[in-house]
Amino acid sequence: MELKKGVETGGVDEEKWVYDSSVDHKGRVPLRASTGVWKATLFIIAIEFSERLSYFGVATSLIIYLTKVIHQDLKTAARNVNYWAGVTTLMPLFGGFLADAYFGRFTTVFLSSVVYLLGLILLTMSTFVPSLKACDAAVCLEPRKVHEVVFFIAIYMISIGTGGHKPSLESFGADQFDENHSEERKKKMSYFNWWNFGLCCGLLLGVTVIVYVQDRVGWGAADIILATVMASSLAIFIIGRPFYRYHVPPGSPLTPMLQVLAAAIKKRNLPYPSDPADLHEVPRSRVDKGRLLCHTESLKFLDKAAIVEDWENCAEKQDPWTLATVTKVEEMKLILNLIPIWLATLPFGISVAQTATFFVKQGTMLDRNIGNGLEIPPASIFALSAFGMIVAVAIYEKILVPVLRRATGNERGIKILQRIGIGMLFSISTMVVSALVERKRLGVVEKDPVKGSLSMSVFWLAPQFIIIGVGDAFTLVGLQEYFYDQVPDSMRSLGIAFYLSVIGAANFISSLLITAIDHVTGRFGKSWFGKDLNSSRLDYFYWLIAGMIAANLIVYVFLARRYSYKNVQRSVIVADCCEDGFEVSMA
């Protein structure tokens, strides 16, 4: 039951204190006025700004570094970028598990930030330490092997740091809002929008200021800036410690899932009870931590795990491997329901994977002069994507959400999966525009093979970057909110890791797709991926991705229409969520 301001229940003032199983930095029940909400998340968003500044400062120029300094060909460099990005966005599955099960989110963020900082320091050393430098000449025709080894160790240390940093930090920030408090719950819905606003600001500076320093001053100078900013933001994060709300990890979140599965299999031959109220659940008065979930009709075979066989003994004292609560069963259902949505968002991730590889490489083939001898670094065109996302998030938060709330009666404005689907439409548009622009560029090359496409302005790429930025404001933010909100409360770091794994898996799929298409098209004619862009047919590749996303969108709409959102008990316990006495969470 949500309590109005100033109302006390049982002698406990829930407006003054936070009773959501969190504690303050001294292990006490948090005081609502001095902990959590925006006063805490500002510190958290600050370190996310720094991490994104560093990540995009490295990621957007990586393909250029691999081709110009390490002298890899386009296909090899693109695959290496995709592999690195894939590892970086899959590592959070491991980091999120450790945060949820053992270390807690604050400790995981701290430790992973230290590893991240060490990676940046090693990256800086690979540029300045004489024995680790690529070579002694101004331009390296062939880099030293030791430089390649140290360089890859450094960027994969950054991957490991990101693995603990990303899932833990974002979920730690969301933990600062009490979902049982109406005002804080509405603020939490805005949190993911403003989180991405701060993220995009870091991205924007990363692909402009940092990339400009890399291009005009040197790689080493940029690395020093990134390491310094990360060290400073880590200090800021620690300073905010008294303002945070902490959730103590309950142990492995996977164990209850296995217990439900084992109990359901063991009881598979038992008849299903006619009344869901006969299924086992812990009385609400005896719940110390966490929230109870409503019973749903989906995946009913799992409900058998909650059938009580031994009525003579206290159900709470029976073996959890043979008897589960309705809440544990529903949590298992939540995880299984995530899988189809996760798979259906992979084609969108493939389109995102192109922005840090082929989109940036296209920028190197176009005229980047903007007057007075000033030349835009190729990776800086990525700033338009961040700009599109920042503007779209601000418009969505300040204009669309209030209007949609009044129109739909939904606290979020529209459902989470609807928001994700809208972003997929933008990703189709992105790939279509990208294909048309690349065909235009190749036409210019055909007319003037000597000068190539240098007579064509780099701002021809602006539409595809802006459109995908707007799409990210819908789909990426929606995915963050979906995977945080629709997982069990004990798995929220893993939930954010699931979101990141969409992009990670998509990067690997993109690499495999490039390899497969290169093999097939090379066998039956000219490969779509030549030694450079002028001998490639990226426009065909972009059309293929657009078709994949469009076909997948049909499947996604089908899944989204049938999806049952997480229902949380908010007041008196009765048999069914649809009966009076329940208030379900809006989705």
Side-chain angles (χ1 to χ4, degrees):
M1 180 173 62
E2 292 183 9
L3 297 175
K4 301 292 184 181
K5 189 171 183 178
V7 177
E8 297 187 11
T9 298
V12 176
D13 187 349
E14 295 200 22
E15 190 60 35
K16 182 177 181 182
W17 305 97
V18 180
Y19 291 96
D20 64 349
S21 77
S22 64
V23 296
D24 64 12
H25 70 293
K26 294 184 177 180
R28 305 168 302 189
V29 175
L31 188 64
R32 192 178 299 279
S34 59
T35 63
V37 201
W38 298 118
K39 68 179 70 67
T41 53
L42 290 177
F43 291 96
I44 295 169
I45 291 175
I47 194 170
E48 172 63 9
F49 167 86
S50 170
E51 192 276 333
R52 290 293 87 182
L53 174 73
S54 299
Y55 176 81
F56 282 100
V58 173
T60 50
S61 296
L62 185 55
I63 193 168
I64 296 172
Y65 192 90
L66 293 176
T67 53
K68 287 191 174 182
V69 179
I70 300 184
H71 295 287
Q72 295 181 344
D73 60 48
L74 179 62
K75 287 180 291 187
T76 303
R79 280 198 295 264
N80 278 327
V81 171
N82 282 329
Y83 289 148
W84 177 75
V87 169
T88 303
T89 44
L90 286 177
M91 278 297 294
L93 289 171
F94 180 66
F97 174 78
L98 291 179
D100 284 340
Y102 303 109
F103 298 143
R105 286 156 197 162
F106 176 85
T107 302
T108 304
V109 171
F110 174 75
L111 294 176
S112 59
S113 297
V114 171
V115 174
Y116 202 121
L117 179 59
L118 292 175
L120 291 172
I121 292 172
L122 186 59
L123 196 63
T124 305
M125 291 173 61
S126 72
T127 305
F128 287 106
V129 176
S131 59
L132 302 180
K133 292 173 63 176
C135 61
D136 295 323
V139 178
C140 295
L141 299 178
E142 185 177 352
R144 296 186 181 113
K145 194 66 179 178
V146 67
H147 174 77
E148 291 187 50
V149 171
V150 171
F151 176 79
F152 279 106
I153 290 175
I155 63 172
Y156 276 97
M157 283 183 70
I158 292 173
S159 292
I160 294 171
T162 302
H165 194 283
K166 283 296 291 179
S168 306
L169 187 65
E170 186 167 357
S171 54
F172 185 56
D175 287 345
Q176 306 308 309
F177 301 86
D178 180 7
E179 291 187 354
N180 295 318
H181 188 272
S182 59
E183 292 183 12
E184 290 196 15
R185 189 169 69 248
K186 287 184 179 180
K187 290 177 181 178
K188 186 174 187 175
M189 293 172 189
S190 298
Y191 162 74
F192 289 99
N193 289 324
W194 292 116
W195 166 273
N196 281 277
F197 186 89
L199 179 156
C200 285
C201 289
L203 187 161
L204 193 61
L205 289 179
V207 300
T208 52
V209 176
I210 300 302
V211 168
Y212 183 83
V213 173
Q214 290 169 343
D215 190 60
R216 291 304 181 92
V217 182
W219 299 94
D223 294 338
I224 290 175
I225 295 173
L226 295 179
T228 303
V229 172
M230 176 56 74
S232 302
S233 65
L234 180 57
I236 292 172
F237 178 69
I238 295 171
I239 291 171
R241 189 167 176 266
F243 301 99
Y244 303 144
R245 298 172 186 171
Y246 306 83
H247 287 263
V248 179
S252 174
L254 301 182
T255 301
M257 308 290 112
L258 296 175
Q259 290 173 338
V260 169
L261 188 60
I265 293 173
K266 183 178 180 180
K267 301 177 182 179
R268 63 188 180 277
N269 295 322
L270 293 180
Y272 188 84
S274 57
D275 187 354
D278 292 334
L279 297 174
H280 170 54
E281 182 59 283
V282 177
R284 189 169 184 80
S285 60
R286 297 175 61 179
V287 176
D288 295 327
K289 295 183 178 181
R291 300 179 295 170
L292 298 180
L293 300 182
C294 302
H295 173 262
T296 62
E297 293 297 321
S298 64
L299 301 172
K300 292 186 68 172
F301 71 94
L302 291 175
D303 289 340
K304 293 189 176 183
I307 296 176
V308 180
E309 293 181 283
D310 185 3
W311 287 98
E312 295 181 359
N313 295 320
C314 178
E316 286 76 19
K317 294 182 179 179
Q318 294 185 34
D319 187 356
W321 291 93
T322 59
L323 179 64
T325 64
V326 169
T327 292
K328 294 301 180 186
V329 170
E330 291 302 320
E331 288 180 344
M332 182 65 173
K333 291 180 182 180
L334 288 175
I335 297 301
L336 294 178
N337 285 333
L338 292 178
I339 296 174
I341 300 298
W342 188 90
L343 291 171
T345 53
L346 288 175
F348 166 79
I350 294 174
S351 71
V352 173
Q354 310 316 311
T355 58
T357 53
F358 292 130
F359 281 19
V360 172
K361 192 62 180 176
Q362 282 177 287
T364 64
M365 309 299 291
L366 301 173
D367 179 18
R368 292 177 279 115
N369 289 305
I370 56 175
N372 297 323
L374 184 62
E375 186 177 74
I376 302 174
S380 290
I381 193 70
F382 201 91
L384 292 173
S385 176
F387 176 76
M389 188 173 183
I390 289 172
V391 173
V393 165
I395 292 175
Y396 183 84
E397 172 66 23
K398 293 298 183 182
I399 299 176
L400 291 181
V401 170
V403 172
L404 291 170
R405 277 176 177 166
R406 289 193 293 270
T408 65
N410 190 313
E411 282 183 314
R412 301 182 191 277
I414 57 175
K415 295 180 180 179
I416 304 176
L417 294 181
Q418 290 175 335
R419 179 175 186 172
I420 294 171
I422 291 171
M424 289 183 178
L425 290 173
F426 281 100
S427 67
I428 296 173
S429 302
T430 299
M431 301 319 298
V432 170
V433 170
S434 302
L436 295 174
V437 171
E438 178 62 8
R439 184 67 195 93
K440 165 73 175 177
R441 192 191 68 79
L442 290 174
V444 173
V445 173
E446 288 176 9
K447 292 180 181 179
D448 189 355
V450 177
K451 190 175 182 181
S453 54
L454 290 176
S455 60
M456 187 174 170
S457 172
V458 73
F459 288 105
W460 275 89
L461 300 178
Q464 64 199 60
F465 276 101
I466 292 174
I467 293 171
I468 201 165
V470 174
D472 287 351
F474 284 89
T475 299
L476 287 186
V477 180
L479 284 171
Q480 291 168 19
E481 195 169 359
Y482 170 77
F483 283 109
Y484 178 88
D485 186 74
Q486 295 299 307
V487 298
D489 292 356
S490 61
M491 297 179 65
R492 282 178 158 170
S493 293
L494 267 175
I496 297 298
F498 292 152
Y499 143 69
L500 293 167
S501 70
V502 170
I503 308 302
N507 274 283
F508 282 114
I509 294 173
S510 180
S511 293
L512 293 174
L513 197 60
I514 291 170
T515 302
I517 291 173
D518 180 47
H519 176 74
V520 172
T521 56
R523 185 175 180 181
F524 295 99
K526 184 180 178 183
S527 172
W528 288 3
F529 304 100
K531 185 173 178 59
D532 55 36
L533 286 185
N534 291 342
S535 59
S536 302
R537 292 308 303 258
L538 284 188
D539 53 332
Y540 294 165
F541 183 56
Y542 292 155
W543 281 116
L544 176 64
I545 295 175
M548 290 170 56
I549 301 172
N552 174 76
L553 186 58
I554 298 172
V555 177
Y556 175 82
V557 170
F558 173 78
L559 293 173
R561 289 174 64 88
R562 294 170 57 88
Y563 188 83
S564 296
Y565 288 91
K566 179 180 181 181
N567 286 343
V568 179
Q569 296 183 8
R570 299 221 185 259
S571 58
V572 185
I573 295 180
V574 292
D576 198 305
C577 295
C578 298
E579 297 183 24
D580 293 334
F582 272 96
E583 189 176 314
V584 300
S585 62
M586 301 297 293

